[in-house]
Amino acid sequence: MMKTVYAVLFGLLSGAQAGYCFESPNGENELAPRLLGQPRHIQEQVRIEPGFEELMSGANERTTVYEFQQGKLKRVAHTSITRDVNVMSMLFEATFKVGPSNQRYGEWRMAGRASLDPTQFVPLSLNDLKNKPTEPLTVTFDAQGRLSTFKGVPLSFGPLFLNPLQISCTYSKAQGTVRELRTFNNLTRVEKVAQFGPAGRLTQISTQVGSVPGREKVFQDQIGEGYRAVETFQYSPQGKLTTSSYAVNGVPTTRATYAVDARGFVTSVIVIPQDAGKDSTETYRYGRDAKGNWTRLTLHVGTQLVSTTTRTITY
């Protein structure tokens, strides 16, 4: 089970590698979406089609709210509902307050509810979080406002949601790299190195997944073997993203082609498997608002609709 979870988390459907310390052309920042126009409020709703619930940790639907104050993340809240024989719901909230200029403190808490009778299910509300214990969050930034460290739990909903997480970011202008180091549960170590070209475009992301030093046996028993993944990006002479490729332990797994509009925004991505273990093409289609931020995202595997995500953005 855990091996499957990590495959979903670190491989993703398309092989796209999102980061906390850097932006990826095909994956949003995992701390919070970084959108154009300084939004104040984002409400994101995800609907997973029957049979694909494992892509969202078993949930059928999720609503996420992001709140910003003067461009800084103030609050994140996730509500997920799993509809099976029973109905289960989870509500998570993280809030931040401004500390010293380069440091922000916060806290998170959660509540859950299950109903054996779906007709009697009552959705969770913020009142259900009252008197729930809180856990700390700490975020630090460097002098340029870039993420330096993070300590808490993942703020993005996923397989390792609510697991202890620590992140550190190292930036090298001379080498054109950003190094991101994550540790989960004091067990799993994930190192990402993003390489940028002379024009400032991301050209490659390499990811090494393995054990925290000294916990190799526990890692192998619970997770399995580590691996190395490399994603490379290609651009047109005009600087528009055209293709990307993804390989694990040197074996090509997927290749993606991108459609880009006149403004340079990605409108669709087609991911074609390169290995014998996957036989379905994935297609991502984006709808965008006047500022260029996406407000609708659909995912099809083959001809089958897998998920629909909509965003309501308030500026």
Side-chain angles (χ1 to χ4, degrees), residues 71-267:
K72 297 180 178 180
L73 181 63
K74 179 181 178 182
R75 177 176 176 266
V76 181
H78 300 291
T79 303
S80 69
I81 299 177
T82 301
R83 301 181 187 276
D84 201 345
V85 177
N86 307 323
V87 181
M88 294 179 290
S89 181
M90 185 275 296
L91 174 59
F92 167 91
E93 181 184 54
T95 56
F96 291 91
K97 56 185 178 182
V98 177
S101 59
N102 67 335
Q103 192 166 27
R104 305 190 75 202
Y105 299 97
E107 60 186 22
W108 66 271
R109 54 186 177 172
M110 67 161 292
R113 175 178 295 155
S115 176
L116 298 178
D117 182 356
T119 64
Q120 300 299 314
F121 174 70
V122 178
L124 290 164
S125 69
L126 292 178
N127 286 332
D128 294 299
L129 289 175
K130 290 182 177 178
N131 301 319
K132 294 293 182 181
T134 61
E135 296 290 339
L137 296 165
T138 305
V139 188
T140 63
F141 300 89
D142 65 12
Q144 295 177 252
R146 301 173 300 189
L147 181 66
S148 181
T149 64
F150 176 89
K151 185 176 181 181
V153 295
L155 299 185
S156 55
F157 191 88
L160 290 186
F161 190 53
L162 303 181
N163 282 260
L165 168 66
Q166 293 189 60
I167 297 170
S168 64
C169 308
T170 305
Y171 305 89
S172 173
K173 183 177 181 180
Q175 297 179 0
T177 59
V178 177
R179 178 177 176 269
E180 175 180 309
L181 181 61
R182 313 183 195 183
T183 57
F184 291 93
N185 282 330
N186 192 31
L187 175 63
T188 303
R189 183 181 189 273
V190 181
E191 181 179 14
K192 292 175 177 281
V193 178
Q195 181 71 56
F196 294 82
R201 301 187 188 98
L202 181 63
T203 59
Q204 179 177 285
I205 305 172
S206 63
T207 302
Q208 185 73 47
V209 179
S211 167
V212 169
R215 305 207 67 194
E216 290 81 4
K217 187 177 186 308
V218 178
F219 179 87
Q220 188 165 12
D221 290 345
Q222 295 186 10
I223 312 300
E225 299 296 329
Y227 66 87
R228 182 173 187 267
V230 176
E231 186 173 20
T232 58
F233 302 90
Q234 295 80 39
Y235 300 84
S236 71
Q238 294 74 34
K240 293 183 178 181
L241 180 64
T242 57
T243 59
S244 66
S245 57
Y246 187 79
V248 177
N249 292 333
V251 178
T253 58
T254 59
R255 179 177 176 81
T257 59
Y258 300 81
V260 181
D261 66 16
R263 298 178 296 174
F265 298 120
V266 173
T267 57

Side-chain angles (χ1 to χ4, degrees), residues 271-302:
V271 183
I272 303 173
Q274 303 294 297
D275 62 332
K278 298 177 72 176
D279 58 4
S280 295
T281 298
E282 301 159 23
T283 304
Y284 300 78
R285 293 190 178 92
Y286 296 85
R288 297 181 180 273
D289 64 13
K291 295 184 182 296
N293 297 316
W294 69 261
T295 54
R296 180 178 173 85
L297 169 61
T298 59
L299 165 61
H300 287 77
V301 175

